[in-house]
Amino acid sequence: MATVLRQSAKLTFSGLCSSFSVQCRNGRACAMPYVHHRYNSTTPKIKVDLDSTSGIAVMKFQSPPVNSLSLDFLTEFAISMEKLEMDKSCRGVILTSAQPKVFSAGLDIMEMYGKSPEHASVFWKAVQEMWLKLYGSNMVTIAAINGSSPAGGCLMSLSCDYRIMADNPRYSIGLNETLLGIVAPFWFKDTMLNVVGHRETEKALQLGLLYSSPDALKVGLVDQLVPEEKILSAATETMTKWLAIPEHARQITKSMMRKPTLDKLTSNRENDIKYFANFITKDSIQKSLGMYLAMLKKRKA
Ligand code: CO8
């Protein structure tokens, strides 16, 4: 189990090291932004560009076809977040997608289908790590949602401080787990509840609701809609406002708001992993996932 994770981390880490080697660790401005390079014929799944003058990093998901959150993607994400968090010249991160029409399709279903309990455990630990790093980040985090964002993609968006979505009713966002025959874990539920409240979350989770972008704005699942081509400039503008607030006061406030939710998982991580590995490998759940995968393929045909 540990080997799988180590191999995956090694795969992504060599690429990340080269991208981050130009950063200034002393907090002074760097002349060069982070730029990922090709390495070992494996293209990084996330491109990270830090403008050290503004203190704003853009993390662009570039994992075709739909930025699904595979073990490799999640490992790369956690390493990138950790690097940015430790870099004093970085104060805010914008998450967005390089793929057309999709921000992220959520957890990679292939990581959960036909896999051993050991693999499921390693994978789930990486999902937890992604959320802990993002929801618990000291930096200002903004999701620039330029495409559909179901399930795990919605969780990533909800974990940010602010959400801007492309104004396109064909893009949808929501925690649709029940439609796959699976159940959103308590920390997915809590993250949504903290954004839109109890009633909306209860309804959305039971029905597996995917909201169109105008509906997402109506219920407060996103904060703002903008034309797609303006999404990055709008995110940068909002980020600048958030970064103008005295940092220590904003960070302490964020931590005060989020710590109880984070603590619920950190004090229960091992049980949560065991529960997931047991749940996802059940025959009935595997059957539901198989049917959902077949539906995805059929819809395409
Ligand atoms: N994982 C793996 N593969 C995926 C996923 C995914 N999440 N989503 C799409 N794909 C695949 C498709 O099967 C297709 O594969 P192929 O080319 O081999 O046929 C390819 O990606 C392209 O997909 P589409 O043709 O559907 O692309 P579109 O641009 O038309 O649509 C969408 C993009 C809207 C993202 C659409 O693909 C979609 O709705 N995908 C499913 C999204 C979804 O339901 N995700 C849920 C994942 S589960 C999760 O995140 C939380 C689980 C919590 C578990 C808790 C248990 C305790």
Side-chain angles (χ1 to χ4, degrees):
M1 162 168 138
T3 324
V4 181
L5 192 57
R6 240 181 280 124
Q7 277 168 350
S8 168
K10 206 172 139 201
L11 191 74
T12 51
F13 199 70
S14 57
L16 287 161
C17 285
S18 64
S19 354
F20 283 101
S21 60
V22 293
Q23 73 187 287
C24 304
R25 313 295 306 172
N26 58 10
R28 286 186 207 107
C30 297
M32 301 242 314
Y34 295 136
V35 180
H36 276 290
H37 301 290
R38 288 186 81 84
Y39 61 98
N40 295 342
S41 75
T42 311
T43 305
K45 296 181 185 305
I46 303 168
K47 183 172 184 285
V48 185
D49 285 303
L50 170 63
D51 178 345
S52 301
T53 311
S54 65
I56 302 171
V58 177
M59 287 178 94
K60 207 171 249 190
F61 305 156
Q62 48 176 29
S63 183
V66 290
N67 291 330
S68 60
L69 307 178
S70 62
L71 182 56
D72 282 350
F73 184 108
L74 292 164
T75 307
E76 196 173 316
F77 181 83
I79 293 170
S80 297
M81 280 299 287
E82 201 169 313
K83 292 276 181 184
L84 291 173
E85 201 79 57
M86 288 187 312
D87 185 336
K88 288 196 172 62
S89 72
C90 182
R91 298 171 57 222
V93 185
I94 296 169
L95 307 185
T96 195
S97 166
Q99 301 309 126
K101 300 188 293 176
V102 183
F103 176 74
S104 165
L107 301 191
D108 192 319
I109 299 169
M110 301 315 291
E111 299 277 13
M112 303 185 282
Y113 185 63
K115 294 285 194 287
S116 66
E118 288 73 23
H119 181 90
S121 301
V122 172
F123 177 63
W124 198 245
K125 194 170 182 186
V127 180
Q128 290 180 336
E129 203 57 38
M130 172 275 287
W131 179 76
L132 290 169
K133 292 243 162 15
L134 186 56
Y135 200 66
S137 174
N138 270 323
M139 299 180 288
V140 176
T141 52
I142 294 181
I145 311 160
N146 50 347
S148 289
S149 192
C154 177
L155 177 74
M156 280 186 122
S157 305
L158 285 170
S159 303
C160 291
D161 295 306
Y162 195 84
R163 284 155 288 286
I164 303 177
M165 192 165 182
D167 191 1
N168 183 337
R170 275 183 299 184
Y171 296 162
S172 62
I173 181 167
L175 294 179
N176 61 326
E177 280 77 359
T178 50
L179 300 184
L180 286 76
I182 53 179
V183 180
F186 70 88
W187 40 285
F188 283 45
K189 178 265 294 173
D190 287 343
T191 310
M192 183 168 194
L193 196 140
N194 292 348
V195 174
V196 298
H198 196 281
R199 172 64 190 137
E200 195 61 37
T201 302
E202 185 173 334
K203 190 171 56 157
L205 289 189
Q206 288 198 48
L207 297 175
L209 284 185
L210 285 168
Y211 299 82
S212 68
S213 52
D215 288 346
L217 181 68
K218 257 183 234 153
V219 299
L221 189 56
V222 299
D223 298 295
Q224 193 181 343
L225 298 186
V226 297
E228 187 158 351
E229 66 280 6
K230 299 224 169 92
I231 201 157
L232 265 186
S233 57
T236 308
E237 202 179 301
T238 301
M239 180 66 84
T240 307
K241 284 187 199 149
W242 282 64
L243 291 181
I245 305 298
E247 192 147 63
H248 67 287
R250 187 196 55 74
Q251 284 175 350
I252 293 168
T253 306
K254 180 172 178 176
S255 166
M256 179 176 72
M257 295 299 294
R258 296 189 173 202
K259 194 171 179 300
T261 307
L262 289 160
D263 285 350
K264 270 170 80 178
L265 179 62
T266 45
S267 63
N268 207 18
R269 272 188 90 169
E270 283 310 315
N271 282 340
D272 187 57
I273 291 171
K274 275 190 205 135
Y275 176 82
F276 173 79
N278 180 45
F279 178 83
I280 210 72
T281 52
K282 278 187 199 309
D283 287 347
S284 57
I285 301 301
Q286 286 294 306
K287 200 171 157 206
S288 294
L289 286 179
M291 282 162 56
Y292 189 76
L293 277 167
M295 181 278 293
L296 277 179
K297 303 265 176 228
K298 201 169 151 200
R299 203 187 54 162
K300 200 176 171 188

